[in-house]
Amino acid sequence: MLRRSESSVATAAEVDQRLAALGGQFRDRFSQADSEQELRLARADVLGKKGALTGILKLMGAVPADQRRQLGERVNGIKAEVEAAFNDRLAEIRRAEREADLNAAPFDLTLPGRVPALRGHLHPIRQMRDHILEIFQSLGFEIAWGPEVELEVNNFTKLAFPPDHPATDMQDTFWVKVEGAPSDVRALLRTHTSNVQVREMSTHPPPMAIVSGGAVYRRDDDITHSPMFHQVEGFLVDVGISFAHLKGVLTEFAQRLYGRGSRVRFRPSYFPFVEPGAEMDIGCVFCDGDEARRPSCRVCKGTGWVEVLGCGMVHPLVFAHCGIDAEKYTGFAFGVGVERLAMLRYQVPDIRIFFENDPRFLAQF
Ligand SMILES: [Zn+2]
């Protein structure tokens, strides 16, 4: 007992001594600090986690109870002094900085600004994608997004692709290895944006009108095909939706994109996830109405028509796979190639130019 009390007394003396020393130290440090950063560092040396005053506070537990109160008051007093000295010095530093600012050489507000030599902008494909999305948004469609690495079930199976469909073949699709997945769970780089249709239909009840856009991937590479390209996909599901709604919406879209006079036509076509399916052509924007130019037109190859999108009524099997009552609801869906529309609109002959990132090309948009 005796020994412990002696050590406590020694500790009380130590606290007292260290407090006395601290009293002068921090004022010197603060007045030497020339910037806010230096001042804050000096403050941390006193009040911070490893600061001098914090160290003293840790000793207080060992001080005898009858002296602890009085010492505690001194500690608190010093703490308040430190804070006050810090705030005073901070105000001084800020005042000095402001003064220096005001006394510095004045800005000449009449000088012309610096214009960057090369100013960036959105990629032409991105501009075209956004433009298409905006048109459908203005028609009441909502925007949704989906992943580019997708499960086979969302990219093919639920869209009623038969297992032996050529698109599901190794030749056409970039398959992705999923470590540790069961052998029947396969993933791939999505081959179309229709995965968004599956995801939205599987998670939301109709009615719905949704449009989505983004990159898709196929093993194609020539002047009109790129292994990575972009699509915009849309679909509308409700009670009583017919092919007439499809034609009305897509005709309005084509006219907003290419002008009020644009003609469209629908040709029967096959896609596994629609029935009936169609392709929409627009009157060739380069030779339409010009009988003399048409025969030599390279864009439409003399037909006067250019294919721009695939569409159709959503197949009842797709509804069934996504948990939607096909007896009650009908809907239409469409997919459009963004590069295709951009190539037509800007008369770009080779799709690969879009992805070569040559500033001489990109600066034209
Ligand atoms: Zn033409």
Side-chain angles (χ1 to χ4, degrees):
M1 274 317 276
L2 188 70
R3 196 173 289 167
R4 188 173 162 205
S5 133
E6 271 174 354
S7 106
S8 296
V9 172
T11 307
E14 195 187 340
V15 169
D16 195 57
Q17 206 175 18
R18 284 173 66 173
L19 277 175
L22 184 64
Q25 272 171 16
F26 71 87
R27 285 182 201 282
D28 291 345
R29 285 281 314 273
F30 285 6
S31 63
Q32 281 161 14
D34 284 332
S35 68
E36 184 172 337
Q37 196 191 4
E38 272 179 54
L39 181 63
R40 288 191 184 280
L41 281 175
R43 178 176 179 270
D45 284 344
V46 183
L47 299 180
K49 252 188 197 166
K50 291 180 179 164
L53 194 63
T54 316
I56 294 172
L57 277 172
K58 279 180 192 155
L59 290 178
M60 290 290 285
V63 171
D66 57 330
Q67 299 173 44
R68 202 178 293 158
R69 187 193 159 102
Q70 192 227 342
L71 269 180
E73 275 167 11
R74 271 190 68 201
V75 168
N76 283 336
I78 288 191
K79 200 171 170 184
E81 280 175 40
V82 172
E83 289 290 4
F86 170 80
N87 286 330
D88 288 349
R89 182 62 188 148
L90 185 61
E92 270 174 32
I93 288 173
R94 287 189 173 156
R95 210 176 305 128
E97 281 174 355
R98 172 104 181 114
E99 206 108 312
D101 237 15
L102 289 172
N103 292 331
F107 284 117
D108 182 351
L109 298 176
T110 64
L111 282 176
R114 286 189 200 119
V115 181
L118 252 183
R119 192 170 190 167
H121 59 69
L122 290 178
H123 191 276
I125 294 302
R126 170 68 184 272
Q127 290 182 36
M128 183 51 106
R129 185 202 80 180
D130 289 351
H131 185 48
I132 299 168
L133 288 176
E134 276 164 23
I135 292 177
F136 283 108
Q137 251 186 320
S138 72
L139 293 172
F141 284 72
E142 273 180 75
I143 293 184
W145 306 101
E148 290 175 24
V149 180
E150 181 57 281
L151 294 172
E152 180 182 22
V153 63
N154 290 335
N155 192 84
F156 289 134
T157 320
K158 284 191 170 182
L159 286 163
F161 275 81
D164 56 349
H165 190 281
T168 67
D169 199 274
M170 298 298 283
Q171 303 305 312
D172 294 324
T173 301
F174 295 101
W175 292 92
V176 176
K177 218 177 188 169
V178 184
E179 291 294 344
S183 61
D184 59 336
V185 174
R186 299 205 294 172
L188 49 98
L189 299 183
R190 65 177 178 187
T191 58
H192 45 208
T193 39
S194 305
N195 63 327
V196 179
Q197 194 188 131
V198 169
R199 286 170 167 269
E200 292 297 316
M201 284 189 188
S202 300
T203 51
H204 297 88
M208 59 177 102
I210 290 172
V211 71
S212 182
V216 301
Y217 304 84
R218 292 183 203 172
R219 293 197 180 190
D220 275 335
D221 200 5
D222 59 46
I223 70 161
T224 55
H225 296 91
S226 158
M228 190 271 307
F229 59 104
H230 297 78
Q231 279 188 340
V232 169
E233 167 104 4
F235 55 96
L236 186 153
V237 182
D238 203 347
V239 175
I241 297 300
S242 72
F243 205 89
H245 295 105
L246 177 156
K247 286 178 78 170
V249 166
L250 293 181
T251 303
E252 178 64 21
F253 162 67
Q255 296 197 338
R256 289 201 191 181
L257 192 62
Y258 288 109
R260 278 292 154 205
S262 305
R263 297 180 306 133
V264 297
R265 74 174 184 186
F266 292 84
R267 287 179 292 107
S269 186
Y270 171 76
F271 305 100
F273 39 98
V274 288
E275 178 59 36
E279 266 167 276
M280 186 176 87
D281 298 341
I282 57 162
C284 176
V285 285
F286 301 106
C287 71
D288 196 26
D290 187 341
E291 299 293 334
R293 278 184 64 196
R294 183 175 302 165
S296 59
C297 180
R298 286 172 56 199
V299 176
C300 64
K301 301 187 179 74
T303 62
W305 295 98
V306 181
E307 177 196 323
V308 290
L309 61 79
C311 55
M313 302 304 290
V314 179
H315 200 292
L317 260 179
V318 177
F319 279 144
H321 289 155
C322 297
I324 289 177
D325 183 355
E327 295 292 322
K328 184 175 175 190
Y329 294 106
T330 49
F332 66 81
F334 55 88
V336 41
V338 180
E339 281 80 0
R340 175 116 186 105
L341 292 188
M343 286 170 80
L344 283 173
R345 178 155 161 176
Y346 304 126
Q347 303 194 38
V348 175
D350 186 334
I351 192 171
R352 292 171 294 199
I353 300 174
F354 282 118
F355 305 118
E356 282 170 359
N357 291 334
D358 186 333
R360 290 169 302 178
F361 172 74
L362 295 176
Q364 295 176 46
F365 295 91

